[in-house]
């Protein structure tokens, strides 16, 4: 499994994913991954340049910041100055409600996926994803205080959601400091996910507006590691079935595919290695990565 994935990464991946693979699976050093990541960094402290492949163009964007913070967390640098600088950027695109948008107005001038919405108000999806990672790494920055209040308000007000938003809420609730409040809301959000048929449990899935055919979330999409509270949403049989599905998803070329559309040809080749690494990390987190 690893050897086939390694071949796929060397055939198709960007330098960043090549360096990540070396770090995660071959004992490679931190510094080359960090240098590759910082190539996407802008002078404002944010990140752009299609770090998250669906947002093209140079502008710093909240979802690019989330991708960057994810890589810093992976390297054990989630509380570094780079994270603080990214928060400085976020303060410049935060709305009065305390949230950041999926896409800032400047991104309208550059290619982006149809679902990369240009918004004029804060959105739970990017704000919760970013806030969760910052709390995980105990980052102290004024931006996080307002963003946390925004996330609590939106999460506690959820009555209808969609899979990506529910996943973002779960990532926030996994790490926000108020654990009693988080556990109560995690149980409630999990109830919404199941009641609204937003996850593949072997039953017909409710088609969410704007989703493509086959763009279906699995239990493993909500539970990236064993400590995730969303693991309580699923029975052992349901979760084992999802892990089996991930393990069986490796293609003949060694990589994993993704369910959302490739709206421009390049994103197919950029997302493929990212999803492949995420699949391997997930399987390793749950003891399903075969010894090589």
């Amino acid at each position: 499994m690893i050897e086939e994935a390694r071949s796929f990464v060397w055939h198709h991946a960007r330098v960043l994913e090549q360096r990540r693979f070396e770090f995660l699976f071959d004992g490679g050093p931190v510094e080359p991954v960090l240098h590759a990541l910082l190539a996407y960094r802008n002078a404002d402290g944010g990140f752009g340049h299609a770090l998250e492949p669906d947002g093209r163009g140079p502008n710093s964007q909240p979802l690019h910041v989330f991708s960057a913070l994810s890589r810093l967390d992976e390297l054990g640098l989630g509380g570094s100055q780079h994270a603080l600088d990214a928060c400085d950027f976020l303060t410049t695109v935060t709305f009065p409600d305390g949230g950041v948008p999926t896409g800032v107005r400047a991104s309208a001038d550059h290619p982006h996926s149809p679902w990369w919405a240009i918004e004029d108000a804060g959105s739970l999806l990017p704000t919760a994803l970013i806030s969760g990672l910052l709390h995980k790494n105990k980052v102290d920055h004024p931006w996080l205080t307002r963003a946390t209040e925004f996330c609590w308000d939106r999460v506690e007000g959820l009555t209808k959601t969609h899979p990506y938003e529910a996943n973002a809420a779960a990532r926030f609730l996994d790490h926000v400091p108020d654990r009693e409040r988080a556990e109560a809301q995690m149980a409630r959000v999990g109830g919404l996910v199941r009641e609204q048929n937003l996850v593949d449990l072997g039953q017909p899935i409710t088609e969410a507006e704007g989703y493509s055919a086959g763009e279906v979330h699995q239990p493993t999409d909500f539970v990236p590691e064993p400590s995730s509270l969303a693991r309580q949403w699923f029975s052992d049989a349901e979760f084992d079935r999802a892990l089996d599905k991930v393990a069986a998803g490796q293609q003949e070329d060694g990589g994993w595919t993704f369910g959302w559309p490739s709206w421009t040809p390049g994103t197919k080749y950029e997302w493929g290695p990212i999803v492949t690494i995420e699949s391997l990390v997930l399987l390793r987190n749950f003891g399903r990565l075969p010894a090589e």
Side-chain angles (χ1 to χ4, degrees):
M1 182 178 283
I2 287 285
E3 284 302 321
E4 293 83 356
R6 179 181 290 108
S7 175
F8 177 81
V9 166
W10 282 116
H11 273 90
H12 302 290
R14 304 181 296 187
V15 171
L16 176 58
E17 281 69 54
Q18 291 174 354
R19 292 300 199 177
R20 285 182 64 205
F21 191 96
E22 289 179 322
F23 170 74
L24 290 166
F25 302 106
D26 294 333
V30 168
E31 289 78 10
V33 191
L34 180 61
H35 291 322
L37 174 63
L38 293 180
Y40 295 88
R41 186 178 183 273
N42 287 318
D44 59 12
F47 290 77
H49 308 277
L51 175 58
E52 204 268 36
D54 287 332
R56 318 305 292 183
N59 303 87
S60 294
Q61 299 278 348
L63 283 176
H64 292 318
V65 167
F66 168 67
S67 293
L69 291 174
S70 298
R71 303 291 75 78
L72 291 171
D73 176 61
E74 194 172 77
L75 297 173
L77 300 173
S80 67
Q81 185 62 46
H82 300 303
L84 295 173
D85 292 343
C87 289
D88 289 342
F89 157 71
L90 292 172
T91 63
T92 69
V93 295
T94 299
F95 289 100
D97 59 11
V100 294
T102 300
V104 301
R105 183 59 52 187
S107 68
D109 297 330
H110 298 282
H112 57 275
S113 69
W115 52 87
W116 191 296
I118 309 301
E119 297 167 322
D120 292 316
S123 171
L124 178 60
L125 194 158
T127 311
L129 288 173
I130 293 167
S131 298
L133 273 174
L134 293 174
H135 279 303
K136 178 182 180 181
N137 288 280
K138 297 179 170 52
V139 171
D140 183 12
H141 192 281
W143 180 84
L144 185 56
T145 301
R146 292 181 59 212
T148 298
E149 294 172 357
F150 170 89
C151 290
W152 275 127
D153 181 67
R154 292 297 182 89
V155 169
E156 293 177 333
L158 281 180
T159 57
K160 183 174 176 57
T161 187
H162 59 82
Y164 291 105
E165 183 180 64
N167 177 64
R171 300 289 71 74
F172 168 75
L173 295 170
D174 266 342
H175 301 294
V176 68
D178 190 338
R179 300 314 302 151
E180 183 176 356
R181 191 177 180 185
E183 289 173 11
Q185 287 303 312
M186 186 69 94
R188 196 181 69 82
V189 173
L192 292 177
V193 168
R194 296 186 70 101
E195 292 163 12
Q196 296 174 18
N197 293 327
L198 302 181
V199 59
D200 178 13
L201 298 176
Q203 82 286 8
I205 301 297
T206 301
E207 292 187 5
E209 183 180 353
Y211 283 56
S212 64
E215 190 174 356
V216 176
H217 275 58
Q218 304 294 327
T220 46
D221 292 313
F222 297 100
V223 188
E225 53 192 10
S227 63
S228 299
L229 288 179
R231 177 63 183 84
Q232 302 168 11
W233 297 356
F234 310 108
S235 69
D236 289 347
E238 289 169 341
F239 200 73
D240 285 344
R241 172 181 172 271
L243 286 172
D244 290 343
K245 196 164 186 176
V246 174
Q250 189 172 29
Q251 306 295 296
E252 290 186 3
D253 61 7
W256 273 259
T257 59
F258 50 95
W260 59 93
S262 181
W263 59 277
T264 191
T267 61
K268 174 182 178 181
Y269 301 103
E270 293 176 342
W271 271 121
I274 295 172
V275 172
T276 295
I277 291 173
E278 289 176 349
S279 298
L280 291 173
V281 169
L282 176 77
L283 292 171
R284 182 168 67 184
N285 286 345
F286 287 94
R288 289 292 201 95
L289 195 62
E292 297 285 341

